Amino acid sequence: MPKFVNSSAITFAALAAFSLHAQAADDLGKKTFETCAACHSLKAGENGVGPDLHNIVGRTAGLEPGFRFSGPMKRSGITWDEKNLTEFLRAPQEKVPGNRMPFSGVPDDAALKAVVQYLATASK
C-alpha cells in the first residue's frame, strides 16, 4: 500500500527552513554592521566619524550633504548598489584609493553578503 506524503507539511517545512536561513542571514548582517556602527548611523543626517548610511543604495558616493568627504571619494563617481557596496566593503582602499575610511574590509564572504543586504533593507 503506497504512503502519501502530506504536501502541506513539506511546504511548511520548506518555508520554515527558508525563514530560518533568512533570519540567520539578517542576524549576521546586523551583527557585522555593529563594526560599522562605531562610525556610521542608519538615521538620516546623523553623521559621525563617517557619513550616515540612510538610504545608501542608489546614492552617489561623496555627495551626501553635511559630511566632509575625501577628494577621492567625491571624485569616485560611484553609485552605491549591491555590487559597489560589496567591492568597497571587501577592500575600501582598493575600490577608492585614498579614501579616509580607516577600515581594512570584511574578509568573510558570508558576512559581507549579509551586511550589504542588511544595509539595503535596514537603511530605508
Side-chain angles (χ1 to χ4, degrees):
M1 177 178 244
K3 293 185 178 183
F4 294 96
V5 178
N6 183 335
S7 63
S8 296
I10 291 173
T11 301
F12 177 76
L15 287 173
F18 176 76
S19 179
L20 287 174
H21 177 72
Q23 182 63 45
D26 189 49
D27 289 348
L28 180 57
K30 188 174 184 176
K31 180 155 180 56
T32 303
F33 181 75
E34 289 173 5
T35 301
C36 310
C39 299
H40 298 278
S41 171
L42 295 175
K43 295 180 183 172
E46 197 172 279
N47 295 315
V49 173
D52 78 72
L53 300 178
H54 179 74
N55 281 330
I56 188 68
V57 175
R59 280 184 9 196
T60 302
L63 299 182
E64 186 66 13
F67 188 79
R68 194 172 67 90
F69 289 93
S70 66
M73 188 61 77
K74 288 180 196 176
R75 292 186 298 272
S76 71
I78 293 171
T79 297
W80 295 119
D81 57 15
E82 186 174 329
K83 177 182 178 290
N84 284 318
L85 281 168
T86 299
E87 290 172 356
F88 184 74
L89 293 175
R90 178 178 286 124
Q93 290 300 324
E94 287 180 25
K95 182 71 174 172
V96 183
N99 82 77
R100 288 194 298 247
M101 188 166 84
F103 180 67
S104 60
V106 179
D108 180 77
D109 286 340
L112 180 59
K113 182 177 181 175
V115 77
V116 168
Q117 289 302 311
Y118 179 77
L119 284 171
T121 57
S123 72
K124 292 183 179 185

